[in-house]
Amino acid sequence: MSLPEKIETRLFINGEFSESSHGKTFDIKNPATLKFVAKVYEASEEDTDRAVAAAKAAFPSWSALSPDQRAPYFKKLANLIRENNDELAALEAVSMGKPMGGFFDAYACAAKFDHYSEVGYSVQGTTSVQTPGFINMTFRQPFGVVAAIIPWNVALLFLANKLAPALIVGNTVVLKSSEKSPLTSAKIATLVQQAGFPPGVINIITGFGNVSGSILSHHMDVRALSFTGSGRTGRLIQAAAAKSNLKQVMLELGGKSPAVIFEDADLEDAVKQTAYSIQWNSGQVCMANSRVYVQDTIAEKYITEFTKQIQNIKIGDPLEKGVNHGPQADEVQHKAVLRYLKMGKKSGDLVLGGGAPSDRDGYYIQPTIFTNTPEDATIMKEEVFGPVVNINVFKTEEEVLAKANNTEYGLYAAVFTKNIDRALRFAKGLESGTVGVNCTSPALGKDMPFGGYKSSGVGREGEPLYSLNNFLEIKTVVIKIANSGMAIHLRVHFEFSPVPGPCRYCARTGASCRIATPRRKRPYYHVTEEEYQCSMRILEYFFPDQELNIQTLRSLANDASNGTLASPVCRQTHSPSSPESTSPSDEETPQEADPVVESVNDLHEPLGCMMKDSRGRYRYIGAHSEIPFNAAVCSLGDESQPKSAIIRPPKIGSYPPGLPTPTPSTVDEATPGDHFYLPPRSACDHYVSRFFEDVHCTYWLYPIEAFLSRVERTYSATAPPPTSSWMCSLYCIFAIGAANFSAPPTGTDRRLGFDEKSSTDYIALAKHLVPEVYDEADIDSIRGLAIMSIALENLCSRVSSYLYMGASIQIAYSLGLHRDQMPGSGQTMEREQNRRIWWTLFILDQEIASRGGSPTLIDERLLKIDTPLPSEQLLYPGMHTPLSWLSTSVSLCRLKREIIQAVYPERSTSAKTLSFSTISNLLLSLQKWQQLIPPHLKHDVPSPPTYKRAVAVLHLHYWGSTILLCRPFLLYLVVKHKTLSSSKKIWFERMGKTCIDAAQKSLAILQQMGADDTLGSLTAFDSTCLLRIIMIFILAYAHTKMNHYRSNINASIELLRTMQQIGFCKMVTEETPMRLVDLGITEEGEGAGEKGVLLDDDLIAQLWGTLDPNFMSPLQAQYGFDLSFDDSSSFDLNSEALQFTNLDESIVLDPGHVFTGFDMR
């Protein structure tokens, strides 16, 4: 049969065929003729994720079907496979060289689907009544999304072996076919579509193992994976599963199968079977008997007959009739077999074959026989996967059994003898998953399991229930039943209580009502969406500062019933007078009343403080910034601090600093035109190198190759004059790379080619170009202003940095980067660059705004963002940024924004309640983010040296977000420790421990960065992280007086001192020890210094209580919220909400306990 006119080569995802997201394809060549057959679309990381997501979405509805409802799909697919047998045979012949004359795969595949269509009800659990007072049982339930990775040698059979059992028990599947023979799997996908399988139940992709296979192995949503293939790949999959979610893994791997021929065997039958085993499918079978051991008394005759049998093989084009031996699958396999043949000729005696036939062009190998090969030879130890057999001679049973087992493989073994005792001895003694007696591979027991010993695999497939069990979880259910005297009464209701339905919503919409709970009174929870929205709007109007959850609503309802509800505060006051609130009744709460919400209501001051800059202007700083929190910590116990909302300025330097005004010569050098000032090329290369290593690894703005090419053109005398935006970017990069703000204006470093400009000079040059940059308003303008923002922030020019960041984002808005807009002539690569720039701005905006205490300029609550994350297959992020770093960082950035919006909202003087569930859910979201990050981005996974900074920064952001969420509770605990009730103290201490744990983890990462020489001073990030954890350790030391917290402070200070003393790092290094002395914490002695106040809980609490409530210190400003415990489990130490952090319990916050050490990992 000839090939069909149209061969399907696309990916089958969610019931539809689509090309790969990056458009990449690979060629399939006919191994017999070397002619082109088809271009097949290669699945990308994005495509693989999409397939898993489709399977995940389809799982609930597919698993809800009964086996009877799933079976018709199987039957129809089986019939379609049989109808398309000839086409499938032709596709297999031209893709991997299997002769059509021996093609049985399609019918075997169809038989598997027929078989499994009828076995669904055989999946049953167990029950037990052996535990008095209990009825116990097990459930067998599907995993969910399972992955199947199949080999190329018998693709259809392995496809059915994995798909059919997984699907019939309720799983959904993503199947990856081999890149060597993908055409039959793609054809099956068309038949799956014709059979009407629901979208997403079966997803079939193809591609290379290091992309799609790796993604499936690491994927957190894949709960089980079945793989057949090489031992090397199997080990990689098992390691990936261990590093990700410990998914269930079934492996059927390679073999080096022995066949043992005793002198009493039926020699003719033994010759035929063993010759067919090694020749079938051109020897490309994992269980082929590639080692044959013949007893010495019949060895000569056996080898003669075996050689004759092999010589009768007809080699040729697999599409021709009568051919029973085709080529190897592809060039890779062909070369691998030839390499083994070369080694075999050196170690053993060649009887037949030994190379490629000279009369053919394809990837053919002559069936080859070696004899007398040493047992330790490579060809006797490793799987050749070709038509190559080694025949050796033995004398005794003991000798041959030891030789047969002398391998790391154990998939199949065979023994030929008429002695039943000997046969059973060998069946028991051979270390193999399957043993054939008077038969050899590919003979198998249809009703038996199949799998390997040792390195040949993990788990079994087959009957009676092995394949089904591979795709089922076991759940134990323990049911306690009532005891009455000696009898146990178990009431089983076969009729359900009638449900008075449908509810109003279902009645109005016509949906079927599945609510199985009897109505109690009036069903207020059965309302339409419109009724619910109207009710919530009314409640929000009358209670604008309440978080309206079930507990607060119950509390309001109870107060209304008891007549104790205070007059609600409307958003518009109709009368200047406000009635006094009614005090709660002291009467006993009725027995059936719902629990009243408890809250921490001591502090109601608004968040936010003011800080005076070096120019005498007061600047607002939001409470989510590090600045007011650090000021609050540094003001603990200080009676001399003014009772005001003003944050005291730093003791050293002026902020913002006075940058040099551009001189006329400088202005001329930065004036747009034919000439811009450029440093010596060696200095330029040094500056650029520093920028890309320390800054660009996390703030991607340029493709490195394109950037270096532009630099080359800028230095070229023949190139056209550069734009002002490009030169502004370049000057800002020079400013960062030349950063040494304490150096004289003229550099003297010979390595840098005597650059006459300093870092601040370059800032001045860049600033002079800003008007032109605004006018150009192009992509380079965005880059230049963003880099200017990074440089100025490190110069401690907080406001200027924020303004330039805003200008950069506004230009991005004007160019439509937030909506993924491009002109019709835009190139794909340009679009990918713009996407990456947009999401870099998204991260930078969050960081600069957060550190400065200002609102972000990109707010997804108000702005629709259509820009997808960039494809890293099209645009490589560079040697300093790992794959998936940007997408992972963006997801964490969004979490951080949620934390700021929930815990640090900008609001008026009216207090707002923070619910316990809100805080715990945010913590759980952070923990989930950490669990789901790609394995290569985990901090404990070794990474290339160029990636170490980016990975460390990612984890510092994570622990910094945890501290941001928890630090108010730690500070509150220190300030109000003795006034907290014991029940609330449990939760505050847990949050405090979480905060300290995050600081300890951050310190460990920063110390590792110091050891790896990846700590940097070119941005404010590293110094901010160190200052942040110092403040946390100060609070821990203030509360517990434990010296190891002081040691952590000292270790952090030492890290600061090892960094290059420039910019913000220099200020923090000089300022922090002075602040510590003010607090009575010295580096040398264990006692307090002569200056400062030694921190003490009683003193802090006393000062806190005597502060004038009409004025706000930074300490008070941090705590303008109520915390509402809306879950009764919030005070239970064993509740799930208190188990989210996996903390080391030796972190002690109660001063009455003794510290025993903590885990710094």
Side-chain angles (χ1 to χ4, degrees):
M1 175 188 171
S2 60
L3 287 173
E5 292 183 5
K6 178 176 174 55
I7 299 176
E8 183 58 71
T9 61
R10 294 172 295 173
L11 312 175
F12 183 66
I13 299 174
N14 203 27
E16 297 179 349
F17 287 94
S18 63
E19 298 176 357
S20 54
S21 60
H22 50 33
K24 287 186 178 180
T25 61
F26 58 90
D27 293 345
I28 294 294
K29 289 197 300 185
N30 187 332
T33 63
L34 306 186
K35 293 181 180 179
F36 171 81
V37 176
K39 283 187 177 294
V40 179
Y41 285 95
E42 173 195 344
S44 67
E45 180 178 340
E46 180 182 338
D47 298 322
T48 310
D49 282 337
R50 192 158 53 89
V52 174
K56 185 177 181 180
F59 172 69
S61 57
W62 178 253
S63 60
L65 300 178
S66 69
D68 281 343
Q69 292 171 310
R70 299 181 194 122
Y73 298 108
F74 283 57
K75 294 285 189 182
K76 188 170 183 179
L77 178 60
N79 289 335
L80 288 169
I81 292 172
R82 280 187 282 264
E83 291 171 8
N84 288 271
N85 175 75
D86 291 348
E87 183 178 337
L88 290 167
L91 291 173
E92 200 80 326
V94 299
S95 62
M96 60 78 59
K98 180 175 293 185
M100 290 185 63
F103 183 81
F104 66 92
D105 307 39
Y107 279 92
C109 175
K112 285 286 183 183
F113 279 102
D114 275 337
H115 168 71
Y116 279 103
S117 69
E118 299 175 357
V119 302
Y121 283 110
S122 63
V123 176
Q124 295 182 356
T126 59
T127 59
S128 170
V129 294
Q130 299 307 309
T131 305
F134 289 86
I135 295 289
N136 301 330
M137 64 184 69
T138 59
F139 291 167
R140 308 301 305 278
Q141 294 179 298
F143 281 99
V145 179
V146 301
I149 303 178
I150 60 173
W152 46 267
N153 57 337
V154 199
L156 285 178
L157 197 56
F158 284 110
L159 178 146
N161 280 345
K162 298 182 190 304
L163 277 186
L167 292 168
I168 196 61
V169 295
N171 297 283
T172 53
V173 184
V174 178
L175 181 138
K176 191 196 91 66
S177 62
S178 170
E179 71 278 6
K180 295 181 188 293
S181 61
L183 301 183
T184 49
S185 296
K187 177 61 182 179
I188 292 293
T190 67
L191 305 183
V192 167
Q193 193 178 51
Q194 292 177 39
F197 276 85
V201 172
I202 301 175
N203 304 273
I204 298 177
I205 62 176
T206 193
F208 297 93
N210 60 346
V211 181
S212 50
S214 177
I215 295 301
L216 289 174
S217 305
H218 286 91
H219 209 292
M220 297 299 291
D221 286 335
V222 174
R223 303 307 310 179
L225 188 151
S226 180
F227 169 77
T228 299
S230 70
R232 175 182 170 275
T233 305
R235 288 178 172 86
L236 292 174
I237 288 174
Q238 201 162 36
K243 290 179 181 178
S244 53
N245 60 353
L246 284 174
K247 56 178 62 69
Q248 176 97 350
V249 176
M250 289 74 70
L251 303 174
E252 197 254 276
L253 308 176
K256 194 69 180 173
S257 302
V260 180
I261 318 295
F262 282 97
E263 59 186 357
D264 64 340
D266 183 334
L267 191 63
E268 182 181 355
D269 184 57
V271 166
K272 288 181 180 179
Q273 290 199 51
T274 51
Y276 180 75
S277 177
I278 194 61
Q279 173 269 324
W280 174 62
N281 205 24
S282 304
Q284 299 170 130
V285 184
C286 52
M287 56 182 173
N289 51 218
S290 55
R291 294 183 297 147
V292 176
Y293 296 97
V294 187
Q295 200 159 17
D296 54 351
T297 55
I298 60 169
E300 184 177 348
K301 184 177 181 180
Y302 174 87
I303 294 171
T304 301
E305 295 301 319
F306 188 96
T307 304
K308 291 179 182 178
Q309 188 73 27
I310 291 294
Q311 288 172 333
N312 290 331
I313 292 169
K314 182 178 180 180
I315 300 176
D317 189 329
L319 291 172
E320 296 177 2
K321 290 184 178 180
V323 170
N324 60 4
H325 189 96
Q328 306 309 114
D330 64 0
E331 184 179 8
V332 174
Q333 292 300 124
H334 188 250
K335 288 182 177 179
V337 177
L338 288 176
R339 179 170 60 85
Y340 280 111
L341 290 177
K342 187 176 181 181
M343 290 187 286
K345 292 173 184 177
K346 294 179 181 179
S347 57
D349 298 333
L350 179 64
V351 176
L352 183 70
S358 58
D359 58 339
R360 293 190 175 273
D361 292 333
Y363 300 130
Y364 290 94
I365 294 290
Q366 297 170 330
T368 300
I369 304 171
F370 288 109
T371 59
N372 303 319
T373 305
E375 292 295 319
D376 59 352
T378 301
I379 200 170
M380 290 291 285
K381 294 292 186 183
E382 296 181 7
E383 187 177 30
V384 176
F385 226 62
V388 181
V389 65
N390 293 274
I391 303 176
N392 283 355
V393 178
F394 73 92
K395 292 184 177 181
T396 65
E397 285 188 24
E398 294 77 9
E399 173 196 354
V400 73
L401 185 61
K403 288 180 177 180
N405 289 335
N406 185 23
T407 175
E408 267 307 301
Y409 293 105
L411 189 61
Y412 197 108
V415 57
F416 288 81
T417 179
K418 294 177 182 176
N419 186 323
I420 187 63
D421 294 332
R422 177 191 288 154
L424 291 176
R425 283 196 302 271
F426 267 72
K428 183 178 179 181
L430 288 167
E431 295 172 353
S432 180
T434 298
V435 176
V437 177
N438 293 323
C439 62
T440 186
S441 64
L444 294 172
K446 292 182 65 175
D447 54 348
M448 289 288 112
F450 180 76
Y453 271 33
K454 300 185 283 191
S455 294
S456 286
V458 176
R460 295 293 183 270
E461 293 180 340
E463 303 306 322
L465 296 174
Y466 288 90
S467 289
L468 294 176
N469 290 340
N470 285 338
F471 300 105
L472 289 167
E473 286 272 32
I474 300 175
K475 179 185 291 181
T476 297
V477 181
V478 181
I479 306 173
K480 187 176 182 181
I481 58 178
N483 282 298
S484 178
M486 297 298 293
I488 298 176
H489 303 283
L490 175 63
R491 299 176 181 177
V492 181
H493 295 274
F494 294 95
E495 294 119 19
F496 294 96
S497 301
V499 178
C503 64
R504 284 190 292 162
Y505 176 81
C506 295
R508 294 178 188 181
T509 59
S512 86
C513 184
R514 297 185 179 182
I515 297 171
T517 54
R519 294 178 179 176
R520 296 175 299 170
K521 300 183 181 179
R522 187 168 177 78
Y524 295 104
Y525 41 88
H526 299 166
V527 296
T528 64
E529 180 66 19
E530 183 180 2
E531 289 172 315
Y532 167 77
Q533 293 293 348
C534 290
S535 302
M536 291 304 295
R537 282 199 292 271
I538 293 169
L539 287 170
E540 288 170 356
Y541 176 83
F542 284 104
F543 302 98
D545 299 312
Q546 290 268 13
E547 181 168 338
L548 298 174
N549 53 46
I550 186 61
Q551 296 294 344
T552 56
L553 290 173
R554 285 175 178 170
S555 179
L556 291 171
N558 286 337
D559 289 346
S561 300
N562 299 334
T564 60
L565 180 64
S567 298
V569 180
C570 301
R571 292 182 181 175
Q572 296 178 350
T573 305
H574 300 285
S575 172
S577 61
S578 59
E580 295 181 1
S581 60
T582 308
S583 61
S585 172
D586 293 332
E587 295 180 7
E588 194 176 80
T589 304
Q591 187 175 355
E592 296 182 0
D594 292 315
V596 178
V597 176
E598 297 193 38
S599 17
V600 177
N601 52 14
D602 304 80
L603 307 173
H604 296 281
E605 291 83 6
L607 300 176
C609 292
M610 303 294 289
M611 183 176 179
K612 191 175 183 179
D613 65 15
S614 58
R615 296 172 182 144
R617 300 185 184 93
Y618 287 97
R619 303 288 186 183
Y620 174 78
I621 300 175
H624 60 284
S625 168
E626 309 279 336
I627 298 171
F629 179 79
N630 296 347
V633 174
C634 291
S635 66
L636 286 172
D638 190 353
E639 292 178 298
S640 64
Q641 180 189 353
K643 307 297 190 292
S644 72
I646 307 303
I647 296 176
R648 289 181 293 179
K651 295 186 175 187
I652 297 173
S654 57
Y655 305 96
L659 293 176
T661 304
T663 64
S665 62
T666 305
V667 171
D668 292 340
E669 291 164 349
T671 301
D674 295 334
H675 175 70
F676 288 93
Y677 171 79
L678 290 172
R681 185 58 193 270
S682 57
C684 167
D685 292 344
H686 177 71
Y687 300 155
V688 168
S689 175
R690 291 187 74 194
F691 173 78
F692 275 98
E693 287 177 9
D694 283 12
V695 182
H696 199 265
C697 64
T698 54
Y699 306 127
W700 191 101
L701 292 165
Y702 282 100
I704 296 179
E705 296 82 1
F707 177 87
L708 295 177
S709 176
R710 289 185 72 177
V711 170
E712 193 70 36
R713 290 198 302 272
T714 304
Y715 273 83
S716 171
T718 59
T723 65
S724 296
S725 296
W726 163 247
M727 288 309 302
C728 180
S729 301
L730 211 52
Y731 284 149
C732 291
I733 290 172
F734 293 163
I736 292 173
N740 189 343
F741 301 111
S742 62
T746 303
T748 56
D749 191 341
R750 293 183 180 276
R751 288 185 306 108
L752 306 185
F754 299 101
D755 186 11
E756 62 189 58
K757 301 294 183 186
S758 69
S759 179
T760 50
D761 288 333
Y762 285 119
I763 289 288
L765 289 171
K767 279 189 170 183
H768 183 73
L769 293 174
V770 166
E772 291 287 335
V773 172
Y774 286 162
D775 289 341
E776 291 175 2
D778 57 7
I779 290 295
D780 276 340
S781 303
I782 296 172
R783 292 163 166 156
L785 294 171
I787 300 170
M788 174 96 76
S789 178
I790 296 170
L792 288 173
E793 185 192 33
N794 201 34
L795 268 174
C796 305
S797 295
R798 177 177 61 86
V799 176
S800 297
S801 171
Y802 182 62
L803 294 175
Y804 282 118
M805 192 70 242
S808 178
I809 291 170
Q810 286 172 333
I811 295 174
Y813 285 151
S814 73
L815 295 176
L817 264 63
H818 64 302
R819 302 301 296 273
D820 201 28
Q821 295 299 305
M822 282 280 292
S825 59
Q827 299 296 317
T828 301
M829 192 61 68
E830 184 182 357
R831 182 185 295 276
E832 292 301 324
Q833 289 182 27
N834 289 356
R835 289 172 176 175
R836 185 167 280 275
I837 289 170
W838 168 257
W839 288 113
T840 298
L841 293 180
F842 183 83
I843 295 170
L844 257 176
D845 173 44
Q846 170 65 56
E847 290 189 31
I848 290 174
S850 180
R851 285 196 283 265
S854 302
T856 56
L857 299 160
I858 302 173
D859 192 339
E860 290 185 285
R861 296 173 299 177
L862 307 174
L863 177 72
K864 182 182 180 183
I865 298 176
D866 295 327
T867 302
L869 286 158
S871 167
E872 292 175 332
Q873 301 292 333
L874 292 176
L875 181 61
Y876 178 57
M879 63 180 295
H880 297 103
T881 308
L883 295 176
S884 302
W885 189 94
L886 182 64
S887 58
T888 307
S889 186
V890 166
S891 63
L892 179 60
C893 185
R894 284 179 164 140
L895 265 178
K896 189 173 182 180
R897 289 174 184 237
E898 288 182 31
I899 292 170
I900 292 172
Q901 291 159 10
V903 183
Y904 303 95
E906 300 292 336
R907 56 176 178 267
S908 64
T909 56
S910 57
K912 182 167 182 176
T913 300
L914 289 175
S915 71
F916 165 81
S917 59
T918 298
I919 302 300
S920 57
N921 285 338
L922 286 169
L923 267 172
L924 289 167
S925 296
L926 281 170
Q927 186 190 37
K928 185 177 180 181
W929 176 91
Q930 188 190 36
Q931 293 171 343
L932 295 179
I933 59 175
H936 68 281
L937 294 180
K938 293 184 182 295
H939 189 60
D940 56 351
V941 174
S943 58
T946 56
Y947 287 169
K948 287 189 175 182
R949 175 168 173 81
V951 172
V953 166
L954 185 66
H955 288 270
L956 287 172
H957 274 302
Y958 168 74
W959 293 115
S961 300
T962 304
I963 291 172
L964 179 70
L965 178 59
C966 299
R967 74 187 186 197
F969 303 96
L970 177 61
L971 183 53
Y972 189 96
L973 179 68
V974 173
V975 171
K976 304 289 286 181
H977 181 263
K978 293 194 174 180
T979 63
L980 277 171
S981 65
S982 58
S983 58
K984 292 174 185 172
K985 192 181 296 184
I986 290 172
W987 204 78
F988 274 78
E989 287 184 348
R990 188 71 179 183
M991 295 295 289
K993 287 183 178 183
T994 304
C995 192
I996 294 171
D997 182 62
Q1000 291 175 174
K1001 299 293 198 307
S1002 299
L1003 177 59
I1005 293 171
L1006 288 160
Q1007 288 175 324
Q1008 185 60 51
M1009 290 177 72
D1012 294 336
D1013 197 25
T1014 55
L1015 271 178
S1017 304
L1018 300 188
T1019 69
F1021 177 77
D1022 304 57
S1023 309
T1024 300
C1025 291
L1026 281 163
L1027 184 58
R1028 176 191 302 133
I1029 65 175
I1030 288 172
M1031 296 301 146
I1032 300 303
F1033 292 139
I1034 288 174
L1035 284 177
Y1037 179 64
H1039 191 56
T1040 64
K1041 307 300 182 300
M1042 293 179 179
N1043 283 329
H1044 79 281
Y1045 291 129
R1046 176 181 287 190
S1047 300
N1048 287 347
I1049 295 171
N1050 292 341
S1052 303
I1053 296 291
E1054 285 304 313
L1055 275 178
L1056 280 168
R1057 288 171 177 160
T1058 62
M1059 296 166 65
Q1060 189 176 5
Q1061 297 303 299
I1062 54 178
F1064 185 67
C1065 176
K1066 183 175 185 294
M1067 187 272 280
V1068 172
T1069 305
E1070 294 175 354
E1071 177 96 7
T1072 306
M1074 299 171 65
R1075 296 291 189 180
L1076 291 173
V1077 171
D1078 290 345
L1079 292 169
I1081 302 176
T1082 58
E1083 294 182 70
E1084 293 81 12
E1086 293 186 1
E1090 294 180 2
K1091 295 182 180 181
V1093 179
L1094 184 62
L1095 300 177
D1096 180 82
D1097 280 344
D1098 293 332
L1099 175 59
I1100 294 169
Q1102 180 183 356
L1103 289 170
W1104 176 262
T1106 58
L1107 289 176
D1108 186 343
N1110 295 318
F1111 295 93
M1112 258 194 326
S1113 71
L1115 180 62
Q1116 289 172 300
Q1118 284 289 306
Y1119 292 93
F1121 63 84
D1122 287 349
L1123 180 66
S1124 170
F1125 292 93
D1126 55 356
D1127 186 340
S1128 59
S1129 67
S1130 57
F1131 304 117
D1132 180 5
L1133 276 174
N1134 297 316
S1135 70
E1136 181 182 355
L1138 290 181
Q1139 305 303 320
F1140 42 68
T1141 49
N1142 299 320
L1143 293 177
D1144 184 347
E1145 291 301 330
S1146 60
I1147 299 175
V1148 176
L1149 274 178
D1150 187 342
H1153 288 76
V1154 177
F1155 180 78
T1156 58
F1158 55 84
D1159 186 359
M1160 294 279 298
R1161 288 175 296 175

